[in-house]
């Protein structure tokens, strides 16, 4: 909010400007909560969250730091980050794929002419887990994909213990994935993308794909459990 200025230069106003609520002040600094595409400047934060989330469980990261930068350079529009007061707390990184099933090439390639969104990784910062942020972000990402005219489905590969988690988001099992990493095997899952994105009545318009995506998070979203 602009300060109040007197009628003559350099004369201070006689009355104190009205106080501004913290909520209004925040709009001029950092939003309390927002979702936007990631960029290469976010790569280190992404990798730190990913490394902690995956290495402690499986010993492997879906994407190494150079691969994170690779995809955020090639196809940032297929990424999505959730920020709280400017701090990254959860993210998804994806790319396009052009075959029915995933192969080893899908781990490193982006196929601009493909119609399948390959979700490489979804991760939540350790201090923000068990708050429903993973399912909320996935829901928003899938709705975003509905706004991209050439995307027909989303696919991912996950360890077996994560299959129930992704089932809750609407994914279906395709079968055993052909990709293995070290001694890890994966289940391949898919989600049909069709129709138009469902928009909350109070949400701001989404601008795809050439403009940045910034979505304020509704209070009701925060109340969803994992």
């Amino acid at each position: 909010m602009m300060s109040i200025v007197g009628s003559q230069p350099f004369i201070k106003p006689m009355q104190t400007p009205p106080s501004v609520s913290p909520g209004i002040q925040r709009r001029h600094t950092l939003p309390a909560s927002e979702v936007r595409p990631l960029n290469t400047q976010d790569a280190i934060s992404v990798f730190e969250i990913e490394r902690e989330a995956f290495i402690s469980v499986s010993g492997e990261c879906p994407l190494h730091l150079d691969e994170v930068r690779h995809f955020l350079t090639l196809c940032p529009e297929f990424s999505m980050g959730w920020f709280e007061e400017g701090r990254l707390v959860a993210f998804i990184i994806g790319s396009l794929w052009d075959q029915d099933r995933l192969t080893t090439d899908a781990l490193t390639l982006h196929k601009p002419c493909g119609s399948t969104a390959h979700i490489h990784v979804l991760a939540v910062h350790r201090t923000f887990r068990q708050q429903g942020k993973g399912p909320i972000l996935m829901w928003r990402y899938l709705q975003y994909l509905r706004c991209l005219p050439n995307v027909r489905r989303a696919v991912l590969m996950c360890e077996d213990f994560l299959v129930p988690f992704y089932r809750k988001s609407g994914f279906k099992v395709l079968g055993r994935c052909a990709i293995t990493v070290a001694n890890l095997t994966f289940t391949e899952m898919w989600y049909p993308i069709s129709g138009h994105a469902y928009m909350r009545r109070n949400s701001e318009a989404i601008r795809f794909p050439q403009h940045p995506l910034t979505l304020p998070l509704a209070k009701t979203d925060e109340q969803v459990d994992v």
Side-chain angles (χ1 to χ4, degrees):
M1 180 178 293
M2 297 178 63
S3 60
I4 298 176
V5 181
S7 58
Q8 298 180 19
F10 310 113
I11 297 179
K12 295 182 180 180
M14 296 298 294
Q15 297 181 352
T16 303
S19 60
V20 181
S21 67
I24 296 177
Q25 287 179 341
R26 185 180 295 117
R27 293 176 189 172
H28 296 275
T29 54
L30 293 173
S33 191
E34 67 170 343
V35 173
R36 65 164 174 81
L38 298 167
N39 56 57
T40 54
Q41 294 180 340
D42 301 311
I44 292 177
S45 296
V46 165
F47 184 65
E48 288 176 349
I49 294 174
E50 180 195 11
R51 181 173 54 187
E52 189 279 330
F54 286 90
I55 288 185
S56 60
V57 176
S58 62
E60 294 285 343
C61 276
L63 298 174
H64 296 291
L65 181 57
D66 58 341
E67 294 168 331
V68 171
R69 291 194 175 107
H70 171 72
F71 285 115
L72 295 186
T73 299
L74 283 180
C75 48
E77 69 276 15
F78 283 93
S79 70
M80 185 173 283
W82 184 334
F83 293 80
E84 297 278 0
E85 302 289 351
R87 177 188 182 188
L88 181 66
V89 301
F91 70 88
I92 291 174
I93 291 181
S95 63
L96 277 180
W97 184 238
D98 61 355
Q99 298 181 31
D100 292 336
R101 299 293 296 268
L102 296 175
T103 69
T104 303
D105 286 343
L107 299 179
T108 56
L109 297 182
H110 167 60
K111 299 285 190 175
C113 295
S115 60
T116 295
H118 174 202
I119 299 173
H120 293 268
V121 58
L122 160 66
V124 179
H125 191 282
R126 63 181 180 276
T127 59
F128 293 88
R129 291 174 194 155
Q130 304 304 315
Q131 298 178 21
K133 283 182 165 54
I136 292 169
L137 188 62
M138 179 60 78
W139 181 87
R140 285 178 170 268
Y141 187 77
L142 295 172
Q143 300 311 307
Y144 167 60
L145 292 180
R146 292 179 188 275
C147 295
L148 304 181
N150 296 327
V151 177
R152 296 292 176 263
R153 63 180 191 143
V155 299
L156 57 83
M157 56 186 239
C158 65
E159 294 182 71
D160 292 346
F161 74 91
L162 287 172
V163 168
F165 172 84
Y166 288 112
R167 281 188 186 274
K168 290 180 181 179
S169 293
F171 283 82
K172 301 177 182 179
V173 172
L174 269 174
R176 183 58 57 187
C177 185
I179 301 170
T180 59
V181 178
N183 61 342
L184 298 177
T185 60
F186 305 94
T187 297
E188 191 168 337
M189 305 186 73
W190 75 290
Y191 182 95
I193 302 296
S194 60
H196 299 286
Y198 170 75
M199 296 296 297
R200 290 180 181 273
R201 182 173 299 175
N202 297 323
S203 294
E204 293 183 355
I206 308 178
R207 300 174 292 277
F208 305 111
Q210 64 271 26
H211 300 295
L213 163 66
T214 301
L215 300 178
L217 296 169
K219 290 183 179 179
T220 53
D221 286 345
E222 296 282 1
Q223 299 169 354
V224 179
D225 296 328
V226 172

